[in-house]
Amino acid sequence: MGVEIIENVPLAPLTTLGIGGAARRFARVETVEQVIEALAIAGGEPVLVLGGGSNLVVRDGGWPGLAIQLAIPGVRIDDRGDHALVTARAGVPWDDFVGQMVDAKLAGVECLSGIPGLAGATPMQNVGAYGQEVADTIERVRVLDRETGALETFEPAACAFAYRTSVFKGSERWIVLEVSFCLRRSNVSAPIRYAELAKALGIADGERAPLRLVRDTVIRLRRGKGMVVDAHDPDSRSAGSFFTNPIISAAQLADVQTRVPANMPSWPAADGTTKLSAGWLIERAGFEKGTVRGNAGISGKHALALVNRGGASARELLGLAAEIQAVVKAKFGVDLVPEPVIVGRACEAEKAGKE
Ligand SMILES: Cc1cc2nc3c(=O)[nH]c(=O)nc-3n(C[C@H](O)[C@H](O)[C@H](O)COP(=O)(O)OP(=O)(O)OC[C@H]3O[C@@H](n4cnc5c(N)ncnc54)[C@H](O)[C@@H]3O)c2cc1C
C-alpha cells in the first residue's frame, strides 16, 4: 500500500515531553517498502526518523521537512537450543517486547523493563538501565543505508556500542529496520549487577532472580523515580534522563575532587576514566528536585529528568538545561552532555531573542 503524506502535523503529541512545533510533512510507515517510498517522496528535504519520541526534544519551530514515523510491527523467535535469536521489527513498543520475552522465559532484557520507545531506537543510544544494556544481547542490527539505498546488517562490533551511544547516534545515515537479540532460555535473570535492584530483590550483587520478579521490581523502582511514562504522573512528562553521566579523565577527577565533598559518588573504570553521577552534581549545584522555571522544571522525583509542567516551550526547557550546564561547569568544571536528541528549528521569536 502507498504511503500517505499528511501536511503540517504537530510533533509534540508524538513525544513524551509533549513539546515542539509541527512537521511540514508526516508519514507513518509500516513496511520496509514504505520506508523506501517515503524517502523517495522526501527527495532532498530533511528527514526526521521518529520512533516513540521518548528521547527527543523538538524545537518550537518544528521540523522543516518530512517526519517518518516507523511503525513496522512484528517479533520473530528462532529457536537455537538453550538460546533463541529474537528479532524485533523497528515499530515494536520496547516494553511490550520485554514483557513478551519474560513471558516466553527468555532472559537478557528483563532489567530494561519500563523503558518507553520502540525497539528500533534501542541500538541508537545503546539503551540501558539497572546494570543491563541492549549491547549485552544484540546479535545484529538490520538497517537501510540512506547514502547508498542498500539494506545492510551490522554485527555488534560495527555498531560501536558504548555508554549511551553507538555508531548510529547523531548520524542520519542509517534507518534501523530490525534488531536481533540472542536471549538465553531460562526463567531466571542474568546476574543482577546493580546494587539498588539487588537490594530490592533481596539478593546479593551478582545473584539471579526470577524473570517476572525482576521485571516487576524494575518497574516499581522506575515508577518511584517518575521513569515510567504515566499520564497520571506529571514527573514522567520527560525524555528520561536529560544528561548522561559524565565520564572524566584522572586529571579532571583530581580537579573535581578539589571542589566537591569527599562523599561524591564515582565509578572508576579499568581504562583509568571515572563515571560521575550527573544527578548528584546537579543537586549539589543547587538545582533541587522540583525546581521550576516557568512551565519547565526538574522532576520532583529525579534530579536528572527535566519535565514539561504543562504548556512548556522547547525554549523554556532548553533554557533550563543550559542554565544547569553553566552552573555545573562553573562549580565543578564538568561538562554535562544532553542525552536526548534535539531536533528542528527555533521559532522566529526565539531567533530574535524575544518571546
Ligand atoms: C520516562 C523515560 C524513561 C527513560 N528511561 C531510559 C532508560 O532507563 N535508559 C535509556 O537508555 N533510555 C531511557 N529513556 C530514553 C528513551 O526511552 C530511549 O532512548 C528510547 O530507546 C528512545 O526510543 P524512541 O522510539 O522513543 O526514540 P525517539 O525518541 O523517537 O528517537 C530518538 C532518536 O533515535 C532516532 N531513531 C528512532 N528510531 C530510529 C530508527 N528505527 N532508525 C534510525 N533512527 C531512529 C530518532 O531520529 C532520534 O534521533 C527514557 C525516556 C523516558 C521518557
Side-chain angles (χ1 to χ4, degrees), residues 3 65 82 105 120 131-132 167 211 227 251 301 320 340 348:
V3 176
D82 61 352
K105 300 188 173 50
Q132 227 167 44
V167 71
L211 288 186
M227 283 292 169
K301 302 190 183 80
L320 172 56
E348 293 310 315

Side-chain angles (χ1 to χ4, degrees), residues 49 51-55 70 116-118 121 124-125 127-128 176 222 238 240 341:
V49 176
S54 64
N55 210 26
L70 287 193
L118 305 182
M124 306 301 297
Q125 69 157 4
V127 157
V176 175
R222 295 183 66 94
S238 75
V341 180

Side-chain angles (χ1 to χ4, degrees), residues 14 16-17 48-56 70 90 94 112 114-130 164 168 170-171 174-177 222 226-229 235-241 339 341 343:
L14 302 177
T16 52
L17 266 169
L48 170 66
V49 176
L50 197 62
S54 64
N55 210 26
L56 207 56
L70 287 193
W94 174 251
L112 304 176
I115 298 178
L118 305 182
T122 57
M124 306 301 297
Q125 69 157 4
N126 179 22
V127 157
Y130 294 95
R164 287 308 82 80
F168 307 114
S171 166
W174 298 285
I175 298 183
V176 175
L177 301 172
R222 295 183 66 94
M227 283 292 169
V228 174
V229 173
D235 280 326
S236 75
R237 205 188 293 171
S238 75
S241 300
E339 186 180 299
V341 180
V343 299

Side-chain angles (χ1 to χ4, degrees), residues 106-154:
L106 287 167
V109 289
E110 56 283 349
C111 297
L112 304 176
S113 293
I115 298 178
L118 305 182
T122 57
M124 306 301 297
Q125 69 157 4
N126 179 22
V127 157
Y130 294 95
Q132 227 167 44
E133 52 187 22
V134 288
D136 297 341
T137 47
I138 284 182
E139 182 145 319
R140 56 180 190 238
V141 179
R142 188 94 175 125
V143 302
L144 173 66
D145 184 336
R146 287 180 55 197
E147 273 179 20
T148 63
L151 294 173
E152 284 175 10
T153 300
F154 276 57

Side-chain angles (χ1 to χ4, degrees), residues 51 94 224 229 277 282 313 321 325 347:
W94 174 251
V229 173
S277 161
I282 290 169
S313 62
Q325 284 173 306
C347 67

